[in-house]
Amino acid sequence: MRQTEHLVHKYLRSSKRFPHIWCAGCGIGIFMQALIRVIDQNEYSKDDIVLISGIGCSGRLPVYVDFNTLHTTHGRALTFATGIKLANPRLKVITVMGDGDAVAIGGNHFIHAARRNVEIASFVLNNSVYGMTGGQSSPTTPYGVITASAPYGNLEPDFDICRLAEAAGAVFVARATVYHTQLLDRLIDKALKKKGAAVVEVVSQCTTYAGHFLKLKSPVDMMKWQKNNSVTVEKAKQQSEAELEGKIVIGVLVDRERPSYHEQYQSLLAEKSKI
Amino acid sequence: MRQTEHLVHKYLRSSKRFPHIWCAGCGIGIFMQALIRVIDQNEYSKDDIVLISGIGCSGRLPVYVDFNTLHTTHGRALTFATGIKLANPRLKVITVMGDGDAVAIGGNHFIHAARRNVEIASFVLNNSVYGMTGGQSSPTTPYGVITASAPYGNLEPDFDICRLAEAAGAVFVARATVYHTQLLDRLIDKALKKKGAAVVEVVSQCTTYAGHFLKLKSPVDMMKWQKNNSVTVEKAKQQSEAELEGKIVIGVLVDRERPSYHEQYQSLLAEKSKI
Amino acid sequence: MSNTKVSSLKNPRYEIRIAGAGGQGIILAGIMLAEAGIIQDLCVAQSQSYGPETRGGNSISEVILSNTEIDFPQSTELDVLIALTQVACDRNLPDMKEGGLVIVNSDAVQRVLWDSLVSIPFEEIARKVGETRAVNVAALGSLVPFCPLLDRRALTRAIASRLPSTKLEANLQAFDKALRFARRAKGRLKYAGITEEYEI
Amino acid sequence: MSNTKVSSLKNPRYEIRIAGAGGQGIILAGIMLAEAGIIQDLCVAQSQSYGPETRGGNSISEVILSNTEIDFPQSTELDVLIALTQVACDRNLPDMKEGGLVIVNSDAVQRVLWDSLVSIPFEEIARKVGETRAVNVAALGSLVPFCPLLDRRALTRAIASRLPSTKLEANLQAFDKALRFARRAKGRLKYAGITEEYEI
Amino acid sequence: MNKVEIYRGWCKKCDICIAFCPQKVLEADEESYPTVVSPEKCTGCLLCEMRCPDFAIVVNKDEESRKETGPAAGK
Amino acid sequence: MNKVEIYRGWCKKCDICIAFCPQKVLEADEESYPTVVSPEKCTGCLLCEMRCPDFAIVVNKDEESRKETGPAAGK
Amino acid sequence: MRKVVKKQVLLQGNEACVEGALMAGCRFYAGYPITPATEIMEIMAEKMPETGGVFIQMEDEIASLGAVIGASLAGMKSMTATSGPGFSLMQEHIGFAGMAEVPCVIVDVMRAGPSTGLPTQLSQGDVMQARWGTHGDHPIIVLAPSSVYEFFELTVQAFNLSERYRTPVILLVDEVVAHMREGVILPAKNSLEIEERPHPTVPPEWYIPYADPGTGVPPMPAFGDGYRYHVTGLYHDVRGYPTVRTDEVEPLIHRLFTKISKDFDRLQWFDAFETEDARVTVIAYGCVARAAHRAVRQAREKGLKVGLIKLKILWPFMRRTISGILANSQKVLVPELNVGQISREVKRVNESRCEVVTLNKVDGTPIKPAEILQKLGEIYS
Amino acid sequence: MRKVVKKQVLLQGNEACVEGALMAGCRFYAGYPITPATEIMEIMAEKMPETGGVFIQMEDEIASLGAVIGASLAGMKSMTATSGPGFSLMQEHIGFAGMAEVPCVIVDVMRAGPSTGLPTQLSQGDVMQARWGTHGDHPIIVLAPSSVYEFFELTVQAFNLSERYRTPVILLVDEVVAHMREGVILPAKNSLEIEERPHPTVPPEWYIPYADPGTGVPPMPAFGDGYRYHVTGLYHDVRGYPTVRTDEVEPLIHRLFTKISKDFDRLQWFDAFETEDARVTVIAYGCVARAAHRAVRQAREKGLKVGLIKLKILWPFMRRTISGILANSQKVLVPELNVGQISREVKRVNESRCEVVTLNKVDGTPIKPAEILQKLGEIYS
Ligand SMILES: Cc1ncc(C[n+]2csc(CCOP(=O)(O)OP(=O)(O)O)c2C)c(N)n1
Ligand SMILES: Cc1ncc(C[n+]2csc(CCOP(=O)(O)OP(=O)(O)O)c2C)c(N)n1
Ligand code: SF4
Ligand code: SF4
Ligand code: SF4
Ligand code: SF4
Ligand code: SF4
Ligand code: SF4
Ligand SMILES: [Mg+2]
Ligand SMILES: [Mg+2]
């Protein structure tokens, strides 16, 4: 019986680059496979997809896949994405950002993209740490834990990325973990189809750095932790704030309608353009 | 009967600089007077107050008052404030920012300061426009209105500054207008006393630029508009979202307790410092 | 690229400055004046300056008119200064060409130490025509009798092109009134060297 | 500031490089080696390089030991190369001094074209002592018989100072085993010019 | 009687004090400056002072108002 | 029978596939690579494939599983 | 073609810039307001929708240039405009555009600095920053107009150069040139040569995004054109993939420089006045060149043999042209509205051929013709 | 004082930097991680609380330098460290610190650029950026160590200069110097002279914050000291209040420059090796100076009369020292890990006294002694 070909091969750039640079058990690869799977299911043309990242371990994703790919500067992926979508609205524009990328240095672009509502599907790979630079605290690092830049424990509370996106105005906000792959697929699918600024927080594991300070030794432990600490949106509604303390609420958190920026701009063009 | 001295004279730097540069009827002066009043009531020492602004019409405030004053770069007031408060926790650190300053270019520092919870009292003078540069849209400019940079109407929805501060983690969040001076006094007072990141949105009028596009001709019209469109938090609780559409909800929106960054840092110092 | 011989300096070059406070429409007046030059197919250069306080600070607008290419686009020595406030007058006098003409707003300027001086009540004129903001256009009217390069019709066309039609009538009235004032004043001028020079 | 006459080059300078894959503790080994130099009061310079892939990429660490001031702190021609992987061996051979010594990890390196070669099963040794991560310390052990400047006791002290005490025992065992391997290998070496030079 | 003083050197004629005085104490004069037309109606509520963007208006309360509402805005 | 294939060239021995296979189909061999120990138990649920961060595992479903759950993860 | 006699129009410098951009085919503008560049943004907000282009106001200058680069990658000619503080913030992305070879035009209307400085006042203080502001070795093209018409013309050329070389091009403008109005005759739509970035002619399978086609400038498809490729700010191989191999890094850096430097001869843009027999030559740019022009005229009237070179390109520095001048003059005078920036370059290439005299002003006001004239008188011998 | 014989310790360059900062009295660190500067931040995170100082990780580099400036205004000696991309982002605030005269130290551990470049590789590409990166005319001091000990020593001096002149000081370090370990003997705590910013001696009522006390450096109280004053990035008068008056602007800019330039003589920091009779002199800095040192030794062994000047201060450029060298050598060789940055300055001040030869490498790897030796051989005559 012949060797079965993994679906990803239809989308990978060249096997020379593999195995990829991510550490054993790192969650980024799990997300990458899910993204490819959903794109494949929807039969989007590779030519129409633009995949944009910032800088970080997650920022290395685009180089592996055969789309129009763009590895930008740290924190700024959404600014490039905005330009691309407005310049050619036919393109399906996707950003992949790390937690540091999206909400540390890139926090301003993150909230403005959510507000402005340009149709971009954004995925924040939240591993609660700066992976690429060696395990420093990020704005999503839990309070109190010890990191490379917080040897006495992190004194800062963490952001809730989804609440921030919601408060800023994103029309679709959702959360999954890389453990919950099927949910992840569904959320990616919804985000890719949303006409407007869609944000999915993907809770992931940095096995090399975050495992250490979260006192979870192996990738498996970290994924078990994701499994055991997650609560679906539906269940969460029936729980008290205290019960939800420290839990990961997964599922669709916001799904609302608002005309996207580029739709409105297209109407403006239809009205004003003299050519 | 001798001429009564206005309270502000105790705090103004030199009457040579007056009348100040703000346009007739601009709300910034009303806020400035309120701030002085509350500081005076609390008998804070001028030497202990550091007043920090970014760039914009509101950024011109510090030059007039006899505190330790700092006029920084556009959008970055909170970063300087953070350094000052941590370097000398005894100081009462206050920032005054415009809406563009605080949540356009400065949006990232705004959410991080709220999250980090350094004890800084921040006042965002929201006139819904870039006043200093001549009336361009800001992130709080209402949808649809025509501005110097949106000749065909603003296509972007506006931020709710207070919701953003809340989602980011600020421990005290409140809103007043310059019409509601007494409320303003109370909120300034609470913010100055809060141990942690406190944010007060001060809805103000830019009579020169915003009046124009809001179709409110005079400062008086604009303040009437503030009066007529405001709803107190208490009343708002009894109203539906639809009823609140376009309304300014005033009062204390968030008031919660969380140890401030510098308190925690002081404990860390007490434990680790070898000198 | 080109290596040109520069032409002689013996070309008439007429430097006009309007000075006053922010909000008096001074920059617009400069633009109208420059626009008139364009309509007459002259070479023109218009520039302005104002303090950081765009609103209320001191503001000036200048126009250079010339028959040939303008090398330096800002004033070197003013042929005419129109001063709408006392401060503006005091600050700008040092930039006058010897023998140049100073036109002041008599409603706001009291003291001027200059020989060749014309005083016109621009604010009064503006009030009279029912459009207090017409001070700037009135100021332009006062220029006509003195500036040989300037064509009255071109200037009114330029004014018309930059004003909303509802305000035009009153503004042109102010323009005419000021022009007539100026004409009368010209007769009384002790010395007005610069204007003579071109008035052939 | 000073204008010194530089001293002669005739000073012994000993260049050691450890090369392998990220995660093999190579940089730590370099630091231990340098630390040993410090303990012996030698002049030392330690440096490293790795690709952007800190994890898993190629990684090298080098140490220069000298009795006198070290001018250039990186290798020019290696006296000793310890290669823990085949790729590391292939890539670093070109930097060898003629007659220098190559020590390879026989568990991972099969082909080497070099005269003065010593092959030691570092991984095997590490497994034997029950601490698979002791490969790097084992590698250090193999250096002792060949590097005349290096004092065994200083090196073990340096190792002890950089390891958690729970791991120390096993690591020192690996160190000793590798040292003994190396001693035996030294006897069999066809040609080991560089080492002779200092071994007096 | 409460005394409302206006400092013309700083006043920018924005009309705010006039518009929002609950007692209609103030009116614009022919030069558009606010001026006190009904001093007797003034309750010393200080709203005009507090809302003046240019610190150009100050209310000197009489004994009675002081007792009721405190000495001045700042104290 | 469903066939689970593991590509060692890419596998980084993270154990994720082993730990989360609902049927305990996989186990680590002596080199720590995952290996199929109970092929017959595999239900073709694809969870191992979907969770492998290195695309090193692929499940070739038999006819029956295909009918029940569709052809493969991607389709 | 029927020749239409076109009439003068009165344009502000910043307006002329927009006209130039439109003529060059700019269809994307992203920006953030800042004095004295704001007009460019405001006019663009009006014009872009009319021309089927895109205008967007971003949250800051970093975002603005990010969006501009993105739009350019999607195939649109794109630009932004700012002033000192915003220009400082754009530096990281200027380097990105250089490294990823994304055409774009950045206008810096200089104001007096450093820091917030004098927002409404005149200066030429950003000349060196335009060359060296971003980290790492990189080439850059910087143009400096001295009149309203030149601002129009050089904006067109900025786009042309940017497309031709796939590089960010900076227009460095002083406040006088940005804000003054002059009568200009705009050329007819099709009378100017408009350049487009090289497009790949091979099918996507053959396309190697960063291979040197001989010109140093690899063809560039737009995202969505079917040529899927990878763009990064990391050092990359010819396929665009990250590399640390010295044999791939070195040629990349080398190509980034040589694609422009091979054309140095074509990039000597200047106007010369009376330089042929000049004993003293003034080297100037921007509004100072206008003052110098008048001063040179006045000096000639007095019989002084002086000339003027007005630089239109500041970077790459016109070594060739200036060397020629230095060889033939006894002295050169470099008046600038800064403490001496281009004069450093003049000295660098001078090799003591002649005396380099500077005239500097940093108080926010213009250098007047009389000041230059006086200096010319002083140093003339 | 009893002399204690101190022993060598093995320190990494970045560790030595922290030791230097601590010895200089640094009590505030704000930063954002970036290769290859991250170690400085991580060690500071550990050391600051131990020394009673403050450490904070900010949301980006802009915020980091903002916090550093704030802390310095509140009286603490403060620093941050970054690399190219972060250094580009800091440019606006570097200008602010210069204009507002706030002492602070910024370490730029250079990586190969432009843009993201080669994060882990070696380069000296930011030399010109360190001088010219922010907008507007401004002076700056930039130091460049070439060994672990020097990194320690120059960090102490960076604080000293920063305090003495109330100016930001930049430490420009290459990856080799930052990451290598050498044995160093740290001086005893009190053996080094530590400078403090001038403090006002007059009572608050008499204090005029930006008046020149003769030294060009006005006394600086801390916020909270009772001297309430205004700090701004705008041009300001002696009281710190915004001004556009040319008679106030001009003296301010002038003072900002002269407070440093009057001390040029004191700021010629270099080491010279065998330069006295050298026919060819190498001018180098950072790790390249180490390679040059060896090459010069080797060349001398062969009988070539060559020497080396190792620069410790890059900016202000040591015109005086270099002019002396240029006057006495027949040729100078400037090897650099960039396309030629300091060599431009050498050429500028050369005035054709001697031939300036460059040796450049931009592939992320070091220049080896052998390469310099070879070049020396080639040009020696
Ligand atoms: C302007 C700038 N600052 C800092 C860096 C260094 N840097 C690279 S990645 C990174 C953080 C990565 O963290 P995150 O975004 O969470 O991604 P992860 O690696 O965890 O996937 C940092 C700080 C940079 N490249 N550019
Ligand atoms: C980096 C930078 N970008 C842009 C500017 C120009 N600028 C000055 S103030 C301002 C906006 C002011 O708006 P806001 O903050 O709302 O204050 P307001 O004037 O309305 O009080 C802008 C864009 C600047 N000074 N610095
Ligand atoms: S460091 Fe962490 S985030 Fe980065 S590849 Fe490794 S496991 Fe993944
Ligand atoms: S422009 Fe607007 S915000 Fe600025 S001073 Fe005038 S009214 Fe106030
Ligand atoms: S104090 Fe009150 S009542 Fe009296 S004038 Fe002022 S607003 Fe009116
Ligand atoms: S509120 Fe103040 S500024 Fe306005 S009119 Fe009254 S006194 Fe004058
Ligand atoms: S497909 Fe499902 S049952 Fe089969 S091996 Fe994978 S996880 Fe186990
Ligand atoms: S999940 Fe993938 S990488 Fe991990 S052990 Fe299984 S096959 Fe290997
Ligand atoms: Mg992360
Ligand atoms: Mg505003």
Side-chain angles (χ1 to χ4, degrees), chain A residues 103-104 108 112 143 157 258 264, chain B residues 103-104 108 112 143 157 258 264:
Chain A
V103 296
N108 205 26
H112 280 274
Y143 180 83
R258 208 144 46 74
Q264 297 181 75
Chain B
V103 296
N108 204 30
H112 280 274
Y143 180 82
R258 204 141 49 73
Q264 297 181 73

Side-chain angles (χ1 to χ4, degrees), chain C residues 4 8 12 16 39 62 80 91 126 132 148 158 161 187 189:
Chain C
T4 53
S8 151
I16 303 160
I39 292 170
E62 10 178 276
V80 180
R91 290 217 185 152
T132 51
S161 76
L189 256 191

Side-chain angles (χ1 to χ4, degrees), chain G residues 62 83-89 91-92 95-99 108 111-121 123-126 128-138 232-235 243-247 249-250 253-254 256-257 315 317 319 337-341 343-345 347-353 361-365, chain H residues 62 83-89 91-92 95-99 108 111-121 123-126 128-138 232-235 243-247 249-250 253-254 256-257 315 317 319 337-341 343-345 347-353 361-365:
Chain G
I62 298 173
S83 183
F87 195 51
S88 285
L89 290 172
Q91 292 305 329
E92 191 190 8
F96 183 89
M99 179 62 117
D108 173 16
R111 55 197 238 179
S115 197
T116 313
L118 283 175
T120 54
Q121 303 297 96
S123 160
Q124 297 178 320
D126 303 351
M128 289 301 260
Q129 183 193 29
R131 172 68 192 88
W132 303 106
T134 192
H135 61 281
D137 281 307
H138 62 281
T232 180
L234 286 167
Y235 281 9
T243 181
V244 290
R245 280 176 51 180
T246 53
D247 61 340
V249 166
E250 221 258 298
I253 299 300
H254 185 69
L256 289 181
F257 277 90
W315 304 103
F317 186 68
R319 160 193 283 282
L337 291 166
N338 54 42
V339 298
Q341 299 195 8
S343 61
R344 294 176 83 103
E345 291 298 301
K347 286 176 188 165
R348 180 172 63 89
V349 305
N350 179 33
E351 300 175 15
S352 89
R353 273 186 289 243
K361 204 171 191 178
V362 289
D363 64 5
T365 65
Chain H
I62 297 173
S83 182
F87 195 53
S88 286
L89 290 172
Q91 292 305 327
E92 191 190 10
F96 183 90
M99 180 61 116
D108 172 16
R111 56 197 239 181
S115 196
T116 313
L118 282 175
T120 54
Q121 305 294 99
S123 160
Q124 297 178 319
D126 304 351
M128 289 299 261
Q129 185 195 25
R131 173 68 192 88
W132 302 107
T134 192
H135 61 282
D137 281 307
H138 61 282
T232 179
L234 286 166
Y235 281 9
T243 181
V244 292
R245 280 177 48 180
T246 53
D247 61 341
V249 167
E250 221 258 298
I253 299 300
H254 186 69
L256 288 181
F257 277 90
W315 303 104
F317 186 68
R319 161 194 282 284
L337 291 167
N338 54 43
V339 299
Q341 298 196 8
S343 61
R344 295 175 83 101
E345 291 299 300
K347 286 175 188 166
R348 180 172 64 88
V349 305
N350 180 35
E351 302 176 13
S352 91
R353 274 186 288 242
K361 203 170 192 181
V362 289
D363 63 4
T365 65

Side-chain angles (χ1 to χ4, degrees), chain D residues 49-91:
Chain D
S49 86
Y50 34 80
E53 302 92 303
T54 24
R55 298 160 297 280
N58 291 295
S59 158
I60 65 173
S61 176
E62 10 178 276
V63 177
I64 318 288
L65 298 172
S66 168
N67 280 317
T68 55
E69 187 205 343
I70 294 170
D71 41 22
F72 185 59
Q74 294 179 294
S75 64
T76 50
E77 290 183 318
L78 297 171
D79 292 291
V80 181
L81 167 68
I82 306 182
L84 297 183
T85 67
Q86 183 69 51
V87 183
C89 187
D90 298 346
R91 290 214 185 155

Side-chain angles (χ1 to χ4, degrees), chain B residues 28 55-58 74 98-101 105 127 129-133, chain G residues 32-35 61 85-86 89 111, chain H residues 92:
Chain B
I28 302 173
I55 303 279
C57 291
S58 21
H74 188 34
D99 45 327
D101 206 39
I105 193 168
N127 56 12
V129 77
Y130 291 167
M132 188 64 138
T133 44
Chain G
Y32 190 77
I34 188 165
T35 308
E61 290 85 353
L89 290 172
R111 55 197 238 179
Chain H
E92 191 190 10

